[in-house]
């Protein structure tokens, strides 16, 4: 490359500039801009070179290049306007989202996307916030060039110069139409599910009330039947007692005793049925009482002795 510059100078006599990279004595590489020219000194042509260290500039250019690539390739729409909201820059994502070309949007205002469906309060809050020099976030319902509506989540931030003066506004926009649609569908599904749960809850409550009503009816029936049966049982026991006082035959007295014991056992069963109804009604009270085991077994023996003897 250096030899090409020299050959060009000898041939054309014109100054040339090119950039190259040198390595300092300490090993650090630097970028240099080399200006080479031919001058006449003492009647003889001389080559003059001027070196300029452009390492900082190259580094800044590289950072700007990366920043430019990041902005251009950003999936979010990026818009830069002046303080009068005139668009000065948009990235590729904005063009894809809006359907407009660069020529159509540069110099225009963002209102070119207005659908008329965004509330006036949103715009009022936007300009009031920006007027205070603060960032603003919100949502716009916009309209593409082909007329299709879409929802943008927007964040607008003032760009300040070194002296603090606001010179531009940076707008980051994300198309959240699908997300809003999904949220709406999810809300509808959730509402439907809640309605199903409410309906099922009412059905269960109704079934519970029906079951409780049937249970109360059964308990009432058991209680009523126990009273109805206990009345004739008391009569049987009373008549048996009276007959026992008039009869002297031991065999007949034994039979009357068995009848009386059987009646008393049946009466205890009836009382147990009544207790069962009390359990269901939550009114049963347990008692701690002493009892005679021998008397209990004697009562059981008297009830089943006849059947045991009949079976040998």
């Amino acid at each position: 490359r250096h030899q090409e510059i020299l050959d060009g100078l000898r041939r054309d006599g014109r100054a040339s500039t090119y950039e190259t990279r040198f390595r300092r004595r300490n090993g650090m590489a630097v970028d240099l801009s080399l200006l080479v020219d031919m001058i006449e000194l003492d009647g003889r042509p001389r080559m003059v070179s001027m070196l300029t260290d452009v390492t900082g500039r190259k580094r800044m250019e590289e950072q700007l290049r990366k920043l430019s690539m990041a902005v251009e390739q950003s999936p979010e729409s990026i818009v830069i306007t002046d303080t009068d909201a005139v668009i000065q820059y948009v990235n590729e994502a904005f063009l894809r989202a809006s359907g407009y070309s660069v020529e159509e949007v540069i110099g225009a205002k963002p209102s070119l996307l207005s659908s008329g469906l965004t509330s006036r309060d949103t715009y009022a809050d936007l300009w009031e916030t920006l007027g205070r020099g603060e960032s603003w976030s919100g949502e716009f319902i916009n309209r593409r060039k082909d007329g299709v509506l879409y929802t943008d989540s927007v964040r607008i931030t003032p760009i300040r110069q070194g002296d603090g003066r606001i010179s531009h506004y940076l707008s980051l926009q994300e198309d959240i139409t699908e997300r809003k649609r999904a949220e709406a569908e999810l809300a509808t599904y959730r509402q439907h599910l809640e309605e199903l749960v409410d309906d099922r809850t009412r059905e269960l409550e109704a079934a519970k009330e029906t079951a409780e009503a049937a249970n109360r009816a059964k308990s009432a029936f058991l209680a009523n039947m126990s009273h109805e049966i206990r009345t004739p049982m008391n009569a049987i026991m009373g008549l048996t007692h009276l007959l026992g006082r008039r009869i002297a035959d031991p065999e007949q007295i034994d039979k009357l005793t068995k009848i009386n014991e059987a009646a008393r056992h049946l009466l205890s069963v009836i009382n147990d049925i009544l207790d069962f109804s009390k359990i269901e009604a939550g009114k049963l009270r347990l008692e701690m009482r002493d009892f005679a085991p021998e008397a209990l077994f004697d009562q059981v023996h008297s009830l089943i002795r006849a059947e045991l003897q009949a079976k040998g």
Side-chain angles (χ1 to χ4, degrees):
R1 176 64 174 161
H2 189 67
Q3 187 61 46
E4 291 178 4
I5 294 293
L6 293 177
D7 294 341
L9 283 172
R10 296 189 183 99
R11 182 179 60 253
D12 304 325
R14 291 181 301 178
S16 298
T17 303
Y18 71 100
E19 292 182 355
T20 186
R21 172 165 288 193
F22 281 82
R23 191 171 298 277
R24 290 194 176 123
R25 186 174 183 179
N26 61 6
M28 185 177 69
V30 293
D31 294 308
L32 298 175
S33 174
L34 179 61
L35 172 64
V36 183
D37 198 2
M38 295 293 292
I39 64 173
E40 186 174 327
L41 184 62
D42 297 332
R44 296 179 60 185
R46 302 290 184 179
M47 183 180 72
V48 179
S49 298
M50 183 174 64
L51 299 177
T52 305
D53 187 345
V54 293
T55 306
R57 192 196 73 191
K58 295 284 288 187
R59 187 179 298 115
M60 181 64 68
E61 289 176 351
E62 179 64 18
Q63 291 178 351
L64 290 174
R65 187 183 68 82
K66 292 179 180 179
L67 178 60
S68 177
M69 290 177 59
V71 170
E72 281 299 322
Q73 298 176 19
S74 170
E76 293 185 337
S77 297
I78 298 178
V79 181
I80 298 178
T81 71
D82 60 17
T83 53
D84 293 325
V86 177
I87 298 175
Q88 295 188 346
Y89 170 84
V90 294
N91 66 346
E92 187 63 30
F94 176 86
L95 300 177
R96 289 195 303 268
S98 67
Y100 288 96
S101 65
V102 174
E103 294 76 17
E104 290 174 313
V105 297
I106 298 299
K109 291 191 174 184
S111 57
L112 128 120
L113 301 177
S114 176
S115 64
L117 299 177
T118 303
S119 68
R120 294 183 178 179
D121 292 340
T122 299
Y123 291 111
D125 180 60
L126 162 65
W127 287 112
E128 180 181 350
T129 303
L130 294 180
R132 297 194 300 267
E134 300 173 359
S135 297
W136 179 87
S137 298
E139 293 181 1
F140 291 141
I141 302 176
N142 289 332
R143 190 185 302 277
R144 294 187 176 92
K145 184 178 180 179
D146 59 8
V148 176
L149 297 176
Y150 67 105
T151 303
D152 260 340
S153 175
V154 182
R155 180 173 179 82
I156 301 177
T157 303
I159 299 177
R160 298 180 183 274
Q161 300 302 312
D163 57 2
R165 178 178 54 87
I166 297 175
S167 60
H168 297 83
Y169 292 113
L170 172 65
S171 175
L172 301 179
Q173 305 172 3
E174 180 185 4
D175 187 346
I176 59 172
T177 307
E178 291 303 320
R179 189 179 77 190
K180 298 283 284 187
R181 182 179 296 112
E183 290 175 353
E185 291 177 356
L186 182 60
T188 301
Y189 175 76
R190 186 184 298 114
Q191 181 180 359
H192 178 62
L193 185 60
E194 290 175 353
E195 292 174 354
L196 291 177
V197 171
D198 292 340
D199 292 342
R200 184 56 177 165
T201 301
R202 285 193 292 270
E203 292 175 358
L204 291 175
E205 290 177 351
K208 179 182 177 183
E209 291 177 0
T210 301
E212 289 177 348
N215 194 50
R216 288 193 297 269
K218 181 184 69 174
S219 299
F221 172 77
L222 289 175
N224 184 63
M225 287 301 297
S226 64
H227 285 295
E228 293 294 333
I229 297 174
R230 187 157 44 185
T231 300
M233 285 305 303
N234 288 328
I236 293 173
M237 294 170 61
L239 291 174
T240 302
H241 176 71
L242 292 176
L243 285 174
R245 293 173 60 184
R246 296 182 180 182
I247 295 177
D249 185 3
E251 183 178 355
Q252 292 181 350
I253 291 176
D254 181 62
K255 292 180 179 180
L256 286 175
T257 300
K258 292 179 180 178
I259 292 174
N260 187 56
E261 290 177 352
R264 289 182 180 279
H265 177 71
L266 184 58
L267 183 61
S268 69
V269 174
I270 295 171
N271 288 332
D272 289 341
I273 294 175
L274 181 60
D275 288 340
F276 181 74
S277 65
K278 288 181 179 179
I279 291 175
E280 292 187 335
K283 298 180 180 180
L284 180 69
R285 294 182 180 179
L286 300 180
E287 294 180 343
M288 297 290 291
R289 297 178 57 183
D290 295 334
F291 70 99
E294 292 183 1
L296 177 63
F297 285 113
D298 287 343
Q299 182 181 12
V300 175
H301 178 261
S302 66
L303 290 173
I304 65 175
R305 182 176 60 185
E307 293 183 5
L308 292 177
Q309 290 176 346
K311 295 180 179 181

